[in-house]
Amino acid sequence: MRRQAIHTLLTAAAIIMANAPALLLPSQATAQESPAAFPSKPVKFILPFAPGGPSDIMLRLVAQNLSEGWRQPVLVENRAGAGGIVGTEMIAKSPADGYTLGVGSIGTHAINVSLYAKLPYDAVTDFAPITLLASYPTILVVHPSVAAQSVADLTRILKESPDKYAFGSAGPGSSAHLVAEMFKLATGTQMTHIPYKGDAPALNDLVGGQLQVMFANLSANVMGFVQNGRLRALAVTSPEPSQFAPGVPALAQSIPGFQARTWVGIFAPGKTAAPLVTKIHADIARVMQLPAVRTRFQEFGAAIGGNAPAEFSAYVKSEIELWRPAVKASGARAD
């Protein structure tokens, strides 16, 4: 009897072990949901910035249209803090099932790689890039007291008086700061950096004449100052002239190869399956072609994205290398 009982127990254990994979199938099925069935429940976007800015407004517009197409709620959760690091880490550490997506930027996925000695995420391996959401050129503007009508004029003036001119930015390591550092490296010029707590106060001081130069985000606000003569636009930093700054040349016409754009893009956690990434990209790209969405993006002066995951992945890697010399030259560190 005892021998028979032991045999029965061993047989039962063998059956359980043999069927263990089957017992795990429900949870595995959730993690590996067919792209055709996605989404079967609400989807959440993590935005690592405060609400109310252009990225927030544009993402919510995309989320609303995705919700209509997916027939599921698509939520936006703002998780600002530490220059975007708080929310970005949350995206990286979320389940790779497509139900938590997020927005990354030139700061979180390019500049921060060189700016911080250590990040709680790897900007490349911890994410699956889905698509560029939007990009913006910056615009080189000067106060009218600066006797420069062109980039060549400004370069000459800065070389003649290297200690006379100052430029403003939203703070050390901001894109406005680092574009100016790129310009200084490319032209062999010097200017004094005056950091502010945001773009708006820097722009106000530029208009007021406390600053002489700024690489500002191209916006309706900046162009209003240009149009009423309170600022002079010399160039945009996109590879070609921008429709949002009529008549303003590209900086690359004076400095071949020069380009710098701020951008935001959509990412999934790094181990998200490629077919699911493809599915999500296709649905987002469709939404971004809707006339109402494109019109709204243009109101912010943004070039709408939509590129393929592989292309966006290559772009992120190239941006990391593009900004590395400028971060080093600036001396900015955020440890």
Side-chain angles (χ1 to χ4, degrees):
M1 291 292 293
R2 182 179 179 184
R3 181 176 298 175
Q4 183 177 359
I6 293 172
H7 180 268
T8 300
L9 288 171
L10 290 173
T11 301
I15 292 172
I16 291 172
M17 292 300 293
N19 287 278
L23 297 176
L24 295 174
L25 280 178
S27 62
Q28 288 179 344
T30 300
Q32 300 176 10
E33 181 174 2
S34 166
F38 178 88
S40 59
K41 61 181 182 179
V43 177
K44 177 176 69 177
F45 279 92
I46 295 174
L47 182 69
F49 312 113
S55 298
D56 181 75
I57 295 169
M58 290 187 292
L59 177 63
R60 289 178 188 276
L61 179 60
V62 170
Q64 175 188 338
N65 283 276
L66 281 174
S67 180
E68 293 172 3
W70 283 345
R71 298 184 179 181
Q72 292 288 347
V74 180
L75 312 174
V76 175
E77 181 178 325
N78 297 88
R79 287 297 185 125
I85 292 175
V86 172
T88 305
E89 182 181 9
M90 291 181 65
I91 300 166
K93 295 181 178 178
S94 294
D97 57 7
Y99 288 97
T100 301
L101 305 170
V103 168
S105 69
I106 183 177
T108 61
H109 280 73
I111 292 173
N112 281 357
V113 175
S114 299
L115 190 62
Y116 286 80
K118 186 176 182 180
L119 289 171
Y121 58 83
D122 186 296
V124 175
T125 61
D126 285 346
F127 300 89
I130 294 177
T131 191
L132 186 69
L133 181 64
S135 63
Y136 315 78
T138 56
I139 183 166
L140 171 57
V141 285
V142 298
H143 188 265
S145 62
V146 179
Q149 301 294 326
S150 66
V151 172
D153 287 346
L154 180 62
T155 300
R156 174 181 52 77
I157 290 170
L158 293 176
K159 287 183 175 180
E160 290 173 351
S161 306
D163 300 321
K164 182 179 178 180
Y165 297 92
F167 72 94
S169 81
S174 65
S175 59
H177 174 203
L178 297 177
V179 174
E181 296 293 345
M182 290 174 66
F183 176 82
K184 287 163 59 179
L185 284 172
T187 58
T189 55
Q190 291 296 323
M191 293 183 284
T192 301
H193 176 218
I194 308 297
Y196 290 78
K197 293 182 178 180
D199 288 322
L203 187 61
N204 288 339
D205 272 6
L206 179 67
V207 172
Q210 286 78 33
L211 299 171
Q212 292 77 46
V213 182
M214 187 173 174
F215 284 84
N217 287 328
L218 179 54
S219 66
N221 190 26
V222 173
M223 290 308 298
F225 287 129
V226 171
Q227 289 161 1
N228 65 24
R230 300 181 71 183
L231 294 177
R232 184 182 306 120
L234 300 186
V236 292
T237 62
S238 49
E240 61 286 319
S242 171
Q243 62 176 315
F244 304 112
V248 181
L251 189 54
Q253 294 175 226
S254 301
I255 307 173
F258 193 106
Q259 63 170 307
R261 290 175 287 187
T262 57
W263 54 267
V264 289
I266 296 176
F267 295 82
K271 294 183 180 180
T272 306
L276 187 53
V277 169
T278 300
K279 154 72 173 174
I280 294 170
H281 166 262
D283 292 341
I284 292 174
R286 174 186 55 78
V287 164
M288 293 171 73
Q289 291 303 314
L290 296 174
V293 173
R294 298 187 70 85
T295 298
R296 189 65 172 130
F297 275 48
Q298 289 175 353
E299 290 173 358
F300 286 107
I304 198 164
N307 55 354
E311 183 180 353
F312 184 40
S313 178
Y315 179 70
V316 171
K317 293 174 184 176
S318 71
E319 285 287 285
I320 291 172
E321 298 308 316
L322 175 68
W323 293 96
R324 198 184 299 277
V327 172
K328 183 177 180 181
S330 73
R333 298 296 296 175
D335 297 323

